[in-house]
Structure formats: C-alpha cells, structure tokens
Amino acid sequence: MMRPEQELVVKNCSRPFRSCTSSATSSSTLPFRLRSALPRHCAFHRGNSALRSMPRGTGVGPGTLAPASPGGSHLAGVVPRKAKLPRRYQLARVSGRRPGRGEAEPARLTTARPAPFCCGPGGEPSQNLFLTVQPITMATGQKLMRAIRVFEFGGPEVLKFQSDVAVPVPKDHQVLIKVHACGVNPVDTYIRSGAYSRKPPLPYTPGSDVAGVIEAVGDHVSAFKKGDRVFSTGTISGGYAEFAVAADHTVYTLPEKLDFKQGAAIGVPYFTAYRALLHSARVKAGESVLVHGASGGVGLAACQIARAYGLKVLGTAGTQEGQNIVLQNGAHEVFNHREVNYIDKIKKSVGEKGIDVIIEMLANINLSNDLNLLSYGGRVIVVGSRGPIEINPRDTMVKETSVIGVALYSSTKEEFRQFAAALQAGMEVGWLRPVIGPQYPLEKVAQAHEDIIHSSGATGKMVLLTS
C-alpha cells in the first residue's frame, strides 16, 4: 500500500515528455482522476506507455500511476510551462469498485508548492511542482475524522483543515484518545514555521496537549481502559484532531474536578513550569521568584506552583485584566511590564537583596534587565525567547548569577513521572487549577496561531475545541 502521504512531481514544461521520478515508493498502482481539471493542453501518462494528449479544456482524465522503479514513479500529468496550476486539487475514485489486492487506495491531491527550476527533456527551463497525495478512505468501515494537517513549513496559512483524515489505530503501549480539547502552545508555531530545532517529518498534525476520553487501547496497556478521562503531555499522531494516539506513559488520569479544557491546559504549561522551578532553579521555600510574563499558560502555572511551594511570588502582565488574574493565581505582587519604570518598582519592592529566581518568557526582550534584578547566586530560567539579545556578561560575574535554559522534552521518563505525581497531588489538593483563555474551534486554528504570537496581553491558556 502507498504510504499515508507522499509527493508526486509534476513537470511544468513547454512540451510533453515520457516520464519523471517522484518520492513515491509504492509497488502498487494508484487509481485516480483529477476532479478539478488542470489547465488546458494537459497530457497524461499511463504506466510505461507514451503520453496521451488531452482535448482542450478537459484537463487530466482517469489513469494509473505506475512506479518505474523503487524510489521513483511515472509522471501523473504534464502541464505547459506558462500555465498556472490551481492551489488545490482533488483526486477521486476512477470507478465504483474497491481496490484489488496489492492496489493502493484512491487519493486526494491536496497542495502544490513550487520547487527549484530544472530542465525539460529538450533542455528548456521548466519548474517542478510538488503535489502532496493523501489517500481517501474507501467504503471499508475505516473511520474518518477532522484534523489539521501541515504539508509545508510556513505561516499560519499552512495549517490545513481536513474532514476526511483516517482515525489512527493504537499499537503496543499506545492509547487512542477521543479529543475534546487541545492546548495551543507557542512552540507549536515555532515548529510550524520551520524555525524550531526539532522538525517533524512532513506532513504532520500539530499539537501535544490533549484532554478527552480513552476510545481504544493497544496491546500491553493496563493502566487505562475505554471511557477513562485523561490528559496527555505528548501525542504521536498530533493533537489538533478529533482523535489522537499517544504513548501510554505520556497519558495521565484527569480528575473529575477539572473539565476537558482545563485538562488540555496542563501538559506543556504545568510540566514546563514545574521543571523550571523545581528541577532547573531548585527553588527553596522562602525564596523569591519573579514570573516575567505571568498571565499566560506557563506563567500562571508557575505562579500557582511557586505559591504552593512556599515562595514569595511576583509577576508581570501587560493589561489590567492580566494583572488581576495573576494576583488571583498565587502572586503576592504584580507589575505592569508596559510601564516605562516598572523595573524600578520591582527593585523598590524587593530591596537591595534582589530576586532569587526569574522565570523568563521573553528573554530576547528582558534578559538584560533580569540580570540586574537578581540576588547573589540568583538564577534566570529561560522558558521562552523569540530572537537574540545583547547582554553584558559582567552582569553575571559580581553576583555569580546563572542563566539556565529549559526544554521540557529533555526530561527523562522518570522525571516526567515525578513531575506528574507532584502535579496530580496539586489537582487533588486544589492549588492546580488551569485558567482558560481564548478558545477556538478546530477550523479557526490559523487565527489561534496568529493570536498566540501577536495578540496583546495573554490571559490564560489558549485551547482548540474539537466539538
């Protein structure tokens, strides 16, 4: 069978030629036809036969894509060099029959993107257009779901909503979760843009923090059963979807006192905040902590955890609403980081001793000021940064201060278990109570990605709702 997604290469050239290669590796044939016609003067290639010219205006008709060799396949269609391909295509079944043994499923051609120029068979310049193929489930009882798919790295517009994605099947030590809500994290936007150090293979579904109900379990799963309420700190298939597969060790029981939106707000925010405070900063009761950017998901989590562990908690926020939420969630004092003199107000509040720990959400803006706010032996824990900053290293020397970066997924399985045990205790006692901010339906995910980076004044955790 064909892989779930693969790319075909359509040569955009001035005259037809016999074949070309693609990234397809299937050893089967793929029946399909284009429902949305390509531009005029298209030609079509049947296996190893010669190209067949199509009448004007009819576009590409039915046929098969026959692999020429391992790692390569014959051409699906040929388009004149000056023709403009539409942005989206759709492939449908050629006939009403189901595919026979060894055949691939019908497919949909979902996106097109330009690739580097090359030369056609006559030496004339041409351009490849890489088209992503996604199988369409046939009438075999396979369940379909709505999900977000990313076929290329880029801006929010690359987030594609699809309503016919196959529901994943859990394997050994995996569970299938019917997703009620999924958290949106800034790191999701960095990965989507291609700017993050860890890039998933394309295409992929974003999202790690989901909350919902166990739909099915794979082999060797004993901790969960169908119907259990759970949340996750990671998914295998992606969380921006109606169903998601996750490894059982990344899934935890969601107490009845928290709803699914709150469950979706636990994963990255609370586990990151806990790692930053207890693992990286090694905070002690009685120390002071400044949460720089405290009204967002990680910030509020840090305030709640720090207060529960006996620290003096200071926070900053950019709006009056944000400041109020920070005070309601563990902070002793809050400052408006949009005021010109807010650093002076913090210094006046903490006195000459300074601040023991700063949890920093935007290091590219605040790190230089943070170093001047620290106490002797103080630590800046960098949770987020969106670019470079120039600092004076001497600012770390006199007080022997430290700048420490945090990456949640550097945690070991054992560390995750430790974090989870402490946080689940917080749920039971009551100090862990996620604050939900903006909520978006799955179809509005592009707007969510735009807002989480560019909106002014975060207030709570942003979530996607799948129903």
Side-chain angles (χ1 to χ4, degrees):
M1 297 291 288
M2 231 173 64
R3 291 179 301 176
E5 283 91 10
Q6 54 186 241
E7 287 183 336
L8 308 181
V9 180
V10 175
K11 290 274 189 174
N12 186 5
C13 59
S14 59
R15 57 185 178 181
F17 56 95
R18 292 191 177 275
S19 66
C20 77
T21 59
S22 80
S23 62
T25 58
S26 171
S27 60
S28 63
T29 58
L30 174 64
F32 70 94
R33 70 165 174 249
L34 282 171
R35 184 175 293 163
S36 299
L38 290 173
R40 296 178 179 179
H41 305 296
C42 291
F44 191 73
H45 193 213
R46 283 183 180 273
N48 291 317
S49 63
L51 289 168
R52 177 167 62 87
S53 296
M54 300 298 293
R56 272 181 180 270
T58 60
V60 174
T64 60
L65 176 68
S69 61
S73 294
H74 280 301
L75 186 65
V78 178
V79 186
R81 183 174 64 186
K82 294 182 180 180
K84 292 183 178 180
L85 284 170
R87 179 68 180 168
R88 292 180 64 84
Y89 302 85
Q90 190 170 14
L91 291 162
R93 296 177 61 183
V94 175
S95 64
R97 70 176 181 85
R98 292 168 60 179
R101 186 174 181 179
E103 289 185 342
E105 293 181 353
R108 174 192 301 179
L109 207 51
T110 52
T111 57
R113 59 182 174 85
F117 277 88
C118 65
C119 288
E124 72 281 1
S126 63
Q127 186 180 34
N128 288 348
L129 285 162
F130 290 86
L131 307 172
T132 302
V133 178
Q134 179 188 5
I136 291 177
T137 300
M138 304 189 65
T140 58
Q142 186 177 13
K143 293 183 179 180
L144 299 177
M145 67 178 181
R146 301 180 306 145
I148 302 301
R149 300 292 283 161
V150 175
F151 297 93
E152 59 181 323
F153 296 114
E157 69 278 0
V158 304
L159 297 161
K160 303 299 182 183
F161 174 81
Q162 296 186 331
S163 58
D164 54 4
V165 177
V167 174
V169 177
K171 300 178 182 178
D172 286 0
H173 299 289
Q174 295 178 359
V175 299
L176 177 66
I177 302 170
K178 181 175 175 56
V179 178
H180 286 251
C182 180
V184 180
N185 296 296
V187 69
D188 297 345
T189 70
Y190 308 151
I191 295 171
R192 182 217 68 222
S193 68
Y196 197 61
S197 57
R198 177 171 53 88
K199 295 184 181 67
L202 294 170
Y204 77 99
T205 294
S208 59
D209 300 350
V210 304
V213 176
I214 296 291
E215 179 73 11
V217 298
D219 292 338
H220 307 110
V221 175
S222 58
F224 302 102
K225 65 183 185 303
K226 184 175 180 178
D228 288 347
R229 301 174 80 252
V230 296
F231 71 94
S232 77
T233 56
T235 65
I236 295 169
S237 60
Y240 292 10
E242 290 181 304
F243 293 88
V245 163
D248 58 358
H249 70 270
T250 66
V251 178
Y252 308 92
T253 299
L254 180 65
E256 291 289 343
K257 63 177 63 177
L258 298 181
D259 62 31
F260 290 119
K261 290 181 286 187
Q262 290 175 306
I266 297 171
V268 166
Y270 280 85
F271 280 72
T272 298
Y274 191 92
R275 182 175 178 84
L277 286 164
L278 280 301
H279 179 273
S280 300
R282 302 184 185 278
V283 295
K284 300 174 184 177
E287 287 189 313
S288 60
V289 60
L290 169 66
V291 183
H292 219 154
S295 60
V298 179
L300 290 172
C303 288
Q304 292 176 7
I305 294 169
R307 184 65 176 258
Y309 278 78
L311 280 74
K312 179 181 179 181
V313 185
L314 292 77
T316 74
T319 66
Q320 187 60 53
E321 180 187 6
Q323 292 175 63
N324 292 337
I325 290 176
V326 171
L327 285 173
Q328 293 164 11
N329 285 274
H332 294 88
E333 293 183 76
V334 66
F335 305 88
N336 186 341
H337 54 225
R338 293 184 180 176
E339 292 182 358
V340 177
N341 63 338
Y342 85 99
I343 294 293
D344 294 331
K345 291 184 178 180
I346 295 175
K347 287 181 177 179
K348 183 178 180 180
S349 174
V350 299
E352 293 184 3
K353 181 180 183 298
I355 298 169
D356 297 307
V357 175
I358 297 177
I359 305 298
E360 183 53 68
M361 310 298 170
L362 200 59
N364 57 299
I365 300 296
N366 301 318
L367 184 56
S368 183
N369 285 329
D370 290 344
L371 295 177
N372 289 312
L373 286 171
L374 289 177
S375 64
Y376 184 86
R379 296 86 79 195
V380 176
I381 310 300
V382 178
V383 171
S385 182
R386 298 179 188 172
I389 184 175
E390 182 176 317
I391 64 169
N392 185 348
R394 286 184 177 276
D395 292 338
T396 69
M397 295 167 63
V398 175
K399 299 179 183 178
E400 294 190 328
T401 54
S402 306
V403 178
I404 305 170
V406 171
L408 174 60
Y409 291 102
S410 294
S411 308
T412 65
K413 286 184 180 181
E414 180 57 34
E415 287 170 344
F416 265 110
R417 281 193 288 267
Q418 293 172 2
F419 303 164
L423 293 173
Q424 288 186 302
M427 296 179 213
E428 296 300 328
V429 174
W431 58 256
L432 193 159
R433 49 187 188 280
V435 178
I436 304 305
Q439 304 171 43
Y440 299 80
L442 199 57
E443 297 89 334
K444 300 292 185 182
V445 63
Q447 187 62 53
H449 271 224
E450 188 75 28
D451 292 347
I452 199 170
I453 296 299
H454 299 295
S455 64
S456 57
T459 51
K461 175 63 181 171
M462 181 181 290
V463 296
L464 291 176
L465 304 178
T466 60
S467 59

